[in-house]
């Protein structure tokens, strides 16, 4: 086990030494990106404490309250419509689904609708809170355009607090490689205090966006990509191992390109399907159990610092899956919540911190170097 | 400055508290033990709740068709005792009356009463069960779960069960009441006296909504337990929180292999994995679910009985026959053509076989 970890780490370190020689970093920020809709008159827009308080209450129920108090009635109306429509769809589908006794016949069409409408309701609140407190005070930065090959190896530690398993500390490392619209990220988790090992490779092709493969739909507002994951996780001491695939559609919407008050903010969605094959060597005949689940993640992110030169970002999210280290918050339906942060310490080096809370609590600390 | 502040904030966040593990299983450890006026009582395996204990009188709620009650009497203890066993299997008898002067025993429904005279200063192991407890011929039991807010209507199911003389007892995967309040649980137990055979269950999430973890132990006994009867092993595990506590996994690892060549049944509220992946009505952590399946499959458990989902499903879980049956009367799953029901399981431990059939009530 220790030898395996040493070998993997050595490979990563070698890769770290090699990549500066082979990579030509070419990433530029899109300039002159289309700005979002402004308030009727910027001088009338005054985000601050009062509007922030209004975004909390009555904003927690009535979306757009913060923007309304701040003076941006157009954005307030947009948020009100999004929030109210989301709440309406959420209430209608959730109530009917509950009435059906969570019918398995309705689950696949209805649970994604419940999740999407619930996220619309939640994200419109975060957008109101953000835009009515700091949003308008920021300059607008467009999304990044990646040109040549960009490689970003990372190395870190994952701490897992899960009463069900012996492991608690993992060495976590991988390599994110991006070339134009294509990206591939192999990564690994090796337990330092158990025999547990997890490997994952993630591939994404950006179809729509500033790096989009389909130039016809190049957009600074929206990026959309299919995403594929293949993973293997060995719970040797617990008598099983599993392989899985994820087929997803991911999308990021740059809110600042739609509403000026939300410059520096974005939302991220992921929806897809997971299939898992679990093998039990401890059961005679090595039976394989096949399971599946809905994949869904929604989150809200903001840049930190001046947007002309942000030094990091924060992203809060909800993830519906229950098969990774974190697991679901409760029995039945719910996944977990988390926050991810990236801080650019130097020109090419950044520190990533993540915390997720569900059945288990997981802390992820990584150092990444961009080449 | 802002950067330093953000880093500090994030490190504080990273060191934030994890989910506090629950430890309700600790309550199981004290079930079935009591003392009064120089007399100590212990029910083997904690397989019963002590409803009342005073000098010369013991009233128990049994969780098994076969129990051993150990009575330790100090020199000062009284010698005449009345032992009342509630939730007793039909045909229960005192299997080793020689040790004590056992007078006439009576049984009315599921209440078995025996008077004994035991010399003070002695220790007495009293075995109660049916005379055929070790025989391996066929017998049947019912599986009934998720009654919830239909406590007032469950009498018709009990009537059907009472009419089937082949059934020895009912096992349940929980959700007996809707909110698990003491009044609801008491009402459930009052209605249970309409049933002519004993009812052994483990709690569901509805039974613990009100936080009455201790109350379950007071009126029914342990939430996780195991017993053997006629060559079959029954293992109940408390999964009312969509998880099984670490301590209970320790028990499971000893209970599952201990049964050897028995036909083994596992009863627990939440299915480890919901066969409908979008609904995700199983354990909070799928990795934990797989860990449980590895323990059960590795120990050669034949069948799993779950509730929680108010329908009927029968599927294979890594070679283990799995049934979800939540037909006790809780709000039903629609569009599945399944109404209120219970399962009838017939076991023949001699041949190592069993069969399961669904009995529809509506």
């Amino acid at each position: 086990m220790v030898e395996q970890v040493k070998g993997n780490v050595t490979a990563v370190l070698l890769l770290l030494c090699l990549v500066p020689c082979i990579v030509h970093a070419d990433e530029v920020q899109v300039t002159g990106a289309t700005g979002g809709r402004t308030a009727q008159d910027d001088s009338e827009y005054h985000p601050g404490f009062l509007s922030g308080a209004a975004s909390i209450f009555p904003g927690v129920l009535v979306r757009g309250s913060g923007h309304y108090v701040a003076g941006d009635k157009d954005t307030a109306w947009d948020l009100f419509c999004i929030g109210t429509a989301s709440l309406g769809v959420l209430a209608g589908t959730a109530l009917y689904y509950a009435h059906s006794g969570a019918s398995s016949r309705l689950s696949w069409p209805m649970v994604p609708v419940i999740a999407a409408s619930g996220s619309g309701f939640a994200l419109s609140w975060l957008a109101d809170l953000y835009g009515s407190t700091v949003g308008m005070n920021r300059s607008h930065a467009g999304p990044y355009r990646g040109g040549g090959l960009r490689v970003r190896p990372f190395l870190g530690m994952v701490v897992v607090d899960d009463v069900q398993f012996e492991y608690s500390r993992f060495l976590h490392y991988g390599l994110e490689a991006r070339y134009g619209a294509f990206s591939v990220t192999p990564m690994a988790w090796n337990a330092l205090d158990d025999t547990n090992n997890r490997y994952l490779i993630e591939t994404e092709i950006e179809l729509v966006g500033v790096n989009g493969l389909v130039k016809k739909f190049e957009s600074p507002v929206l990026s959309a990509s299919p995403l594929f994951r293949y993973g293997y996780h060995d719970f040797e001491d617990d008598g099983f191992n599993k392989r899985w695939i994820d087929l997803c559609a991911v999308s990021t919407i740059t809110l600042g390109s739609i509403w000026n008050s939300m410059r520096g903010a974005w939302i991220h969605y992921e929806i897809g399907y997971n299939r898992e094959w679990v093998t039990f060597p401890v059961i005679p005949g090595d039976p394989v159990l096949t399971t599946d689940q809905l994949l869904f993640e929604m989150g809200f992110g903001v840049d930190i610092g001046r947007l002309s030169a942000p030094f990091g970002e924060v992203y809060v999210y909800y993830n519906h899956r229950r098969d990774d280290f974190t697991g679901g918050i409760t029995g039945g339906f719910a996944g977990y919540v988390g926050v991810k942060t990236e801080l650019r310490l130097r020109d090419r080096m950044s520190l990533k911190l993540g915390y997720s809370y569900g059945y288990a609590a997981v802390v992820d600390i990584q150092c990444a170097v961009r080449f | 400055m802002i950067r330093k502040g953000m880093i500090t904030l994030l490190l504080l966040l990273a060191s934030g508290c994890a989910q506090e593990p629950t430890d309700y299983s600790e309550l199981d450890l004290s079930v079935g033990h009591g003392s009064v006026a120089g007399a100590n009582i212990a029910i083997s395996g904690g397989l019963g709740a002590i409803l009342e204990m005073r000098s010369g009188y013991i009233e128990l709620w049994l969780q098994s068709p076969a129990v051993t009650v150990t009575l330790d009497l100090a020199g000062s203890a009284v010698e005449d005792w009345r032992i009342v066993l509630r939730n007793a299997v039909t045909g229960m008898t005192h299997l080793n009356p020689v040790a004590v002067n056992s007078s006439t025993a009576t049984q009315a429904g599921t209440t078995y009463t025996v008077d004994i005279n035991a010399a003070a200063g002695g220790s007495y192991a009293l075995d109660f069960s049916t005379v055929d407890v070790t025989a391996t011929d066929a017998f049947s039991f019912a599986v009934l779960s998720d009654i919830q807010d239909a406590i007032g209507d469950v009498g018709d199911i009990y009537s059907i069960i009472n009419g089937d003389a082949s059934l020895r007892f009912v096992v349940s995967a929980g959700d007996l009441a809707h909110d698990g309040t003491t009044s609801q649980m008491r009402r459930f137990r009052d209605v249970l006296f309409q049933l002519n055979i004993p009812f052994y269950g483990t709690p569901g999430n509805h039974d613990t909504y009100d936080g009455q973890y201790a109350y379950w132990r007071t009126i029914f006994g342990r939430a996780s337990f195991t017993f053997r009867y006629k060559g079959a092993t029954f293992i109940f595990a408390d999964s009312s929180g969509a998880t099984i506590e670490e301590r209970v996994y320790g028990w499971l690892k000893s209970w599952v292999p201990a049964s050897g060549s028995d036909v083994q049944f596992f009863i627990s509220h939440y299915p480890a994995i919901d066969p409908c992946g979008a609904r995700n009505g199983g354990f909070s952590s799928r990795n934990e679910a797989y860990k449980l399946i590895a323990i059960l499959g590795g120990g050669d458990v034949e069948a799993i009985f779950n509730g929680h989902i108010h329908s009927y499903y029968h599927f294979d879980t890594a070679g283990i026959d799995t049934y979800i049956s939540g037909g006790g009367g809780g709000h039903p799953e629609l569009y599945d053509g399944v109404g209120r029901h219970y399962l009838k399981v017939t076991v023949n431990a001699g041949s190592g076989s069993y069969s399961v059939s669904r009995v529809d009530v509506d």
Side-chain angles (χ1 to χ4, degrees):
Chain A
M1 170 58 207
V2 175
E3 291 306 313
Q4 183 188 7
V5 172
K6 280 182 181 172
N8 291 335
V9 172
T10 306
V12 170
L13 292 176
L14 280 171
L15 214 53
L16 279 170
C17 298
L18 287 172
V19 282
C21 309
I22 59 172
V23 173
H24 169 62
D26 182 15
E27 184 181 82
V28 294
Q29 195 164 10
V30 176
T31 54
T34 310
R37 195 167 87 187
T38 58
Q40 292 87 341
D41 181 348
D42 278 3
S43 63
E44 295 175 3
Y45 186 66
H46 300 291
F49 176 78
L50 195 61
S51 56
S55 73
I56 294 170
F57 188 82
V60 68
L61 296 172
V62 184
R63 297 294 187 264
S65 299
H67 278 77
Y68 187 85
V69 171
D72 185 353
K73 292 186 173 56
D74 288 342
T75 305
W77 175 247
D78 289 347
L79 291 173
F80 175 78
C81 292
I82 293 169
T84 305
S86 298
L87 182 61
V89 174
L90 174 66
T93 48
L95 286 174
Y96 188 71
Y97 187 56
H99 168 71
S100 77
S103 172
S104 59
R105 273 86 180 158
L106 299 178
S107 293
W108 277 105
M110 291 195 84
V111 174
V113 175
I114 291 169
S117 54
S119 68
F121 189 61
L123 295 179
S124 59
W125 183 56
L126 291 174
D128 192 27
L129 180 65
Y130 172 78
S132 61
T133 49
V134 295
M136 186 64 101
N137 293 327
R138 320 185 75 183
S139 61
H140 176 56
Y144 287 95
R145 183 193 294 279
L149 181 63
R150 190 182 94 174
V151 177
R152 203 156 77 138
F154 57 88
L155 180 64
M157 174 80 83
V158 171
V159 180
V160 182
D161 183 7
D162 186 339
V163 295
Q164 296 294 346
F165 296 99
E166 294 292 320
Y167 55 69
S168 64
R169 287 174 292 120
F170 288 84
L171 187 68
H172 178 34
Y173 51 91
L175 183 74
E176 179 188 330
R178 177 176 287 277
Y179 184 80
F182 300 91
S183 79
V184 58
T185 309
M187 53 193 122
W189 294 255
N190 298 128
L192 299 173
D193 50 3
D194 195 21
T195 55
N196 196 286
N197 295 292
R198 184 176 193 248
Y199 303 95
L200 181 70
I201 186 163
E202 185 176 284
T203 305
E204 186 177 345
I205 303 168
E206 187 174 334
L207 295 180
V208 177
V210 292
N211 303 308
L213 204 61
V214 185
K215 295 299 177 193
K216 186 178 172 184
F217 299 116
E218 183 174 310
S219 165
V221 179
L222 173 75
S223 79
S225 317
L227 185 146
F228 172 80
R229 296 189 191 100
Y230 175 77
Y232 174 79
H233 197 163
D234 187 10
F235 289 76
E236 186 182 323
D237 287 352
D238 298 291
F240 69 94
N241 60 69
K242 59 181 190 173
R243 293 168 288 121
W244 71 94
I245 57 165
D246 294 345
L247 298 171
C248 308
V250 296
S251 175
T252 301
I253 301 171
T254 307
L255 298 180
S257 298
I258 305 172
W259 298 287
N260 266 350
S261 63
M262 282 171 240
R263 286 178 294 203
W266 73 92
I267 57 174
H268 178 79
Y269 276 97
E270 174 181 322
I271 189 160
Y273 177 79
N274 160 271
R275 181 162 278 255
E276 199 157 64
W277 294 269
V278 191
T279 305
F280 297 88
V282 294
I283 301 178
D286 289 6
V288 177
L289 172 66
T290 306
T291 66
D292 63 0
Q293 67 180 320
L294 168 73
L295 298 177
F296 180 81
E297 181 178 312
M298 58 113 184
F300 184 87
V302 296
D303 289 330
I304 307 169
R306 288 181 296 108
L307 291 192
S308 53
F311 70 84
E313 61 190 42
V314 178
Y315 172 70
V316 293
Y317 64 98
Y318 165 79
N319 192 316
H320 196 62
R321 74 184 309 155
R322 310 174 83 171
D323 64 333
D324 57 13
F325 285 120
T326 313
I329 292 174
T330 61
F333 312 117
Y336 61 88
V337 293
V339 56
K340 292 177 185 170
T341 301
E342 182 170 352
L343 301 173
R344 293 177 193 105
L345 302 178
R346 292 185 177 182
D347 219 18
R348 295 176 179 275
M349 183 179 287
S350 59
L351 178 68
K352 286 181 166 183
L353 295 164
Y355 175 76
S356 55
Y357 180 83
Y359 184 80
V362 179
V363 175
D364 188 353
I365 302 172
Q366 301 168 26
C367 185
V369 182
R370 180 170 57 86
F371 296 101
Chain B
M1 185 63 193
I2 294 173
R3 186 180 306 208
K4 283 182 181 173
M6 284 303 301
I7 291 173
T8 306
L9 182 68
L10 289 165
L11 287 175
L12 283 173
L13 183 67
S15 63
C17 60
Q19 192 168 5
E20 283 297 317
T22 54
D23 197 10
Y24 302 118
S25 59
E26 190 174 15
L27 297 169
D28 282 353
L29 299 174
S30 59
V31 172
H33 298 272
S35 61
V36 64
N40 291 315
I41 186 173
I43 308 171
S44 59
L47 291 171
I50 300 174
L51 300 179
E52 186 178 349
M53 185 174 181
R54 59 179 191 268
S55 187
Y57 182 85
I58 300 167
E59 185 175 343
L60 308 176
W61 183 273
L62 301 186
Q63 286 186 293
S64 164
V67 294
T68 299
V69 178
T70 302
L71 190 61
D72 287 318
L73 299 178
S76 59
V78 299
E79 298 186 343
D80 291 318
W81 289 82
R82 166 160 288 187
I83 299 175
V84 178
L85 305 178
R86 299 204 181 275
N87 205 38
V89 68
T90 304
M92 176 161 270
T93 188
H94 183 190
L95 297 175
N96 54 349
V98 179
V100 291
N101 297 314
S102 181
S103 63
T104 53
T106 58
Q107 181 158 17
T110 57
T111 300
Y112 176 84
T113 306
V114 62
D115 294 320
I116 64 167
N117 176 271
S123 179
Y124 308 93
L126 313 171
D127 295 322
F128 297 102
S129 188
T130 55
V131 291
D132 61 350
V133 60
T134 56
T136 54
D137 56 321
F139 75 100
S140 298
F141 65 92
V143 182
L144 174 65
S145 307
D146 295 270
I147 296 156
Q148 294 190 353
D149 40 10
I151 294 174
D153 303 323
V154 74
D156 57 352
I157 299 181
Y158 290 166
S159 295
I160 297 170
I161 291 174
N162 288 340
D164 186 343
S166 67
L167 294 172
R168 292 289 182 101
F169 49 80
V170 177
V171 302
S172 176
D175 272 5
L176 310 182
H178 191 261
D179 297 317
T181 60
T182 52
S183 61
Q184 286 180 5
M185 299 306 287
R186 199 177 297 123
R187 181 164 175 247
F188 175 81
R189 210 181 64 175
D190 289 344
V191 173
L192 200 53
F193 286 108
Q194 297 174 19
L195 188 63
N196 292 341
I197 56 176
F199 185 100
Y200 312 122
T202 181
N205 55 315
H206 281 262
D207 301 321
T208 54
Y209 266 174
D210 202 42
Q212 301 290 350
Y213 300 96
Y215 192 65
W216 176 280
R217 272 82 175 177
T218 303
I219 63 170
F220 293 123
R222 292 178 62 133
S224 300
F225 57 99
T226 183
F227 64 77
R228 291 186 70 206
Y229 188 67
K230 290 174 69 67
T233 295
F234 295 80
I235 299 165
F236 296 76
D238 178 8
S239 65
S240 59
T243 180
I244 290 176
E245 289 180 27
E246 200 181 2
R247 175 186 284 112
V248 179
Y249 277 110
W251 294 339
L252 288 181
K253 285 173 185 171
S254 64
W255 291 344
V256 173
S259 57
S261 58
D262 279 7
V263 178
Q264 297 191 81
F265 301 109
F266 179 75
I267 302 103
S268 192
H269 183 65
Y270 270 90
I273 299 290
D274 185 345
C276 177
R279 180 170 56 191
N280 246 341
F283 276 23
S284 300
S285 162
R286 289 208 174 190
N287 291 337
E288 186 202 340
Y290 302 144
K291 170 181 146 176
L292 172 64
I293 292 164
I295 292 171
L296 300 181
D300 201 21
V301 165
E302 270 80 7
I304 296 172
F305 297 104
N306 297 125
H308 188 62
I309 295 168
H310 299 171
S311 185
Y312 170 79
Y313 295 82
H314 176 211
F315 53 98
D316 177 275
T317 305
I320 310 172
D321 212 11
T322 303
Y323 298 85
I324 296 175
S325 169
H331 184 72
E333 181 177 330
L334 300 183
Y335 315 121
D336 59 356
V338 178
R340 288 196 306 156
H341 67 275
Y342 67 89
L343 304 181
K344 179 179 179 179
V345 185
T346 300
V347 194
N348 189 328
S351 62
S353 63
Y354 67 95
S355 61
V356 180
S357 58
R358 193 178 88 203
V359 180
D360 291 322
V361 176
D362 292 329

